[in-house]
Amino acid sequence: SHDQMEVGIWNATERSSFFEDILNSQDFPLDGLESIKHHSKQHQWLASRFLLCHLYPSAIQIYKKKKPMLYNGPFVSFSHSDKLVAVSISARETGIDVQKLDAKICRIAPKFVNAEDEKSINLPSEVLSLSMIWSIKEAVFKVYGSNLPFKNIIIKEFNSVTDKALVH
């Protein structure tokens, strides 16, 4: 149920130093930041952790089996695309995904779309439909982990008015 979940989305137009300074002042562990080579990925990492601390001020993050976890709290999921970052915090396993619309998704669609998905999601453009399919599957993947191939995630129903998807 959604009553035990909080979602935050931030358009991270600030400089990376803005996020890093705030995280440092809150003693948030920045371990791993130095291993991220690209500045844009570092920016996304910092912005998403800032958003986590904004939503859940006592957050101290760790990783377990490549999934973000909190030492002292609920389940958490991160997503980022371009300047957009998102965090979901929930009492139960959670997954979130945001995507910048990009026509390149059409090239990789055969790797993740099946016939059932195409019947369930029919939005005004192919790029929008494929991006929605990808985002739903990415969010499900984040809950169940790396042993779940995207093609095996089948979207049975999608309601664009309520933005709810039923997956199997």
Side-chain angles (χ1 to χ4, degrees):
S1 87
H2 297 291
D3 60 340
Q4 296 180 358
M5 175 185 275
E6 190 167 358
V7 173
I9 300 175
W10 191 279
N11 188 19
T13 57
E14 299 82 358
R15 292 179 178 261
S16 295
S17 59
F18 168 82
F19 300 116
E20 190 169 5
D21 290 347
I22 290 173
L23 291 170
N24 275 326
S25 73
Q26 297 176 346
D27 294 324
F28 188 87
L30 299 180
D31 304 339
L33 179 61
E34 70 282 345
S35 67
I36 302 171
K37 302 299 179 210
H38 297 302
H39 174 73
S40 63
K41 297 294 182 192
Q42 285 182 345
H43 184 79
Q44 292 169 343
W45 190 94
L46 287 164
S48 62
R49 276 47 181 195
F50 161 81
L51 183 55
L52 170 64
C53 290
H54 185 72
L55 294 174
Y56 192 76
S58 62
I60 299 173
Q61 157 241 352
I62 62 168
Y63 284 86
K64 189 181 215 177
K65 297 181 183 178
K66 298 186 178 183
K67 288 178 74 170
M69 307 287 281
L70 297 175
Y71 279 125
N72 57 344
F75 294 97
V76 62
S77 180
F78 297 104
S79 184
H80 42 74
S81 182
D82 196 35
K83 297 278 186 206
L84 198 61
V85 296
V87 175
S88 66
I89 300 170
S90 177
R92 301 192 333 224
E93 286 278 358
T94 182
I96 191 167
D97 190 64
V98 292
Q99 290 294 319
K100 177 183 175 188
L101 294 181
D102 188 335
K104 292 178 188 176
I105 199 161
C106 298
R107 285 196 321 244
I108 64 166
K111 294 180 180 183
F112 68 91
V113 176
N114 57 54
E116 192 76 27
D117 301 332
E118 290 176 332
K119 287 188 268 181
S120 299
I121 296 183
N122 187 12
L123 296 173
S125 78
E126 180 183 25
V127 171
L128 187 56
S129 293
L130 292 173
S131 296
M132 184 59 69
I133 292 168
W134 175 269
S135 286
I136 291 168
K137 290 185 176 207
E138 178 72 16
V140 170
F141 178 83
K142 288 178 179 181
V143 171
Y144 291 99
S146 59
N147 294 330
L148 182 62
F150 272 41
K151 273 218 164 178
N152 289 3
I153 302 169
I154 299 169
I155 302 169
K156 295 285 195 181
E157 182 182 322
F158 175 77
N159 183 331
S160 63
V161 173
T162 63
D163 296 330
K164 289 183 181 176
L166 175 64
V167 294
H168 177 59

